[in-house]
C-alpha cells in the first residue's frame, strides 16, 4: 500500500515539475518582430508579464520617447522604455492565455495569447473580442 501511495505522489510531482518547466519556457528576453525592442518576460505571482527593457531608439531629440498615446492621461509622460507591455498570462495546455498586450503606438490594450512556435520563436496574437479577428506577430529569443 505504501509503495502505491509513494508511486502516485512521485508521479504527480514529476508531472507538476514538467508542467512548470513548460510554462516557464517563455521566460527571458525576446526581440519584437521588427527587432527594434526587447521584451523581458518574467513571472508575476502565478501569471506571466513582460516589460520593454531595450529600444533601438529610446530617445528623440535627446529626450526619452514617451507613452504619448496612452489612454490614461496620467501615464503619457512616462518613457516607453520600462513600461509593462504584456500581463496576466496563464499557461494552459501549451498556450499562455487570458493575458493582455499593450500597443504604445495607439495606447490601447488587446486580449492576447502566446504560443511557442519553436525554442527560438514566440507567436504573439492580439485581438479584440474573438481570437479569429486579430493580428499575430513573431518575437525572437535574444541570444
Amino acid at each position: 500500500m505504501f509503495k502505491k501511495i509513494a508511486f502516485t505522489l512521485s508521479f504527480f510531482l514529476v508531472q507538476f515539475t514538467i508542467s512548470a518547466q513548460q510554462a516557464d519556457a517563455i521566460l527571458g528576453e525576446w526581440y519584437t518582430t521588427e527587432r527594434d525592442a526587447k521584451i523581458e518576460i518574467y513571472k508575476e505571482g502565478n501569471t506571466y508579464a513582460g516589460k520593454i527593457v531595450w529600444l533601438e531608439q529610446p530617445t528623440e531629440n535627446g529626450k526619452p520617447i514617451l507613452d504619448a498615446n496612452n489612454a490614461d492621461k496620467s501615464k503619457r509622460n512616462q518613457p516607453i522604455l520600462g513600461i509593462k507591455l504584456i500581463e496576466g498570462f496563464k499557461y494552459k495546455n501549451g498556450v499562455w492565455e487570458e493575458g493582455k498586450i499593450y500597443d504604445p503606438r495607439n495606447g490601447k490594450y488587446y486580449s492576447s495569447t502566446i504560443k511557442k512556435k519553436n525554442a527560438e520563436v514566440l507567436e504573439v496574437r492580439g485581438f479584440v473580442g474573438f481570437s479569429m479577428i486579430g493580428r499575430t506577430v513573431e518575437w525572437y529569443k535574444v541570444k
Side-chain angles (χ1 to χ4, degrees):
M1 179 71 167
F2 177 74
K3 287 182 181 181
K4 282 185 177 181
I5 292 172
F7 175 77
T8 302
L9 289 175
S10 297
F11 176 78
F12 285 116
L13 181 60
V14 168
Q15 292 301 314
F16 177 77
T17 302
I18 290 171
S19 179
Q21 289 173 345
Q22 291 172 341
D24 289 350
I26 63 170
L27 296 177
E29 291 185 352
W30 301 85
Y31 283 111
T32 57
T33 302
E34 299 83 11
R35 296 185 190 259
D36 59 356
K38 287 182 194 175
I39 311 303
E40 177 189 5
I41 298 179
Y42 53 91
K43 281 189 99 162
E44 195 170 66
N46 293 327
T47 64
Y48 295 84
K51 64 182 177 181
I52 300 173
V53 294
W54 174 85
L55 289 170
E56 186 176 47
Q57 296 182 2
T59 61
E60 187 173 74
N61 300 322
K63 295 182 180 179
I65 295 176
L66 302 178
D67 190 14
N69 297 317
N70 198 309
D72 181 345
K73 291 180 183 180
S74 70
K75 295 181 178 181
R76 291 182 180 170
N77 289 323
Q78 72 181 5
I80 294 285
L81 186 61
I83 65 169
K84 189 185 288 187
L85 197 70
I86 62 171
E87 63 184 305
F89 286 86
K90 298 175 184 174
Y91 181 77
K92 293 181 185 173
N93 302 318
V95 179
W96 292 263
E97 56 188 22
E98 298 181 30
K100 63 182 181 177
I101 187 166
Y102 176 68
D103 185 349
R105 292 181 191 123
N106 64 19
K108 294 181 181 178
Y109 284 92
Y110 298 93
S111 298
S112 185
T113 60
I114 301 173
K115 294 180 186 176
K116 283 200 81 171
K117 185 173 182 178
N118 58 50
E120 305 297 321
V121 181
L122 295 179
E123 290 181 338
V124 181
R125 181 157 185 81
F127 56 92
V128 176
F130 300 100
S131 64
M132 292 185 299
I133 303 170
R135 187 177 110 188
T136 301
V137 296
E138 293 183 343
W139 288 0
Y140 308 96
K141 186 75 172 164
V142 175
K143 296 179 183 183

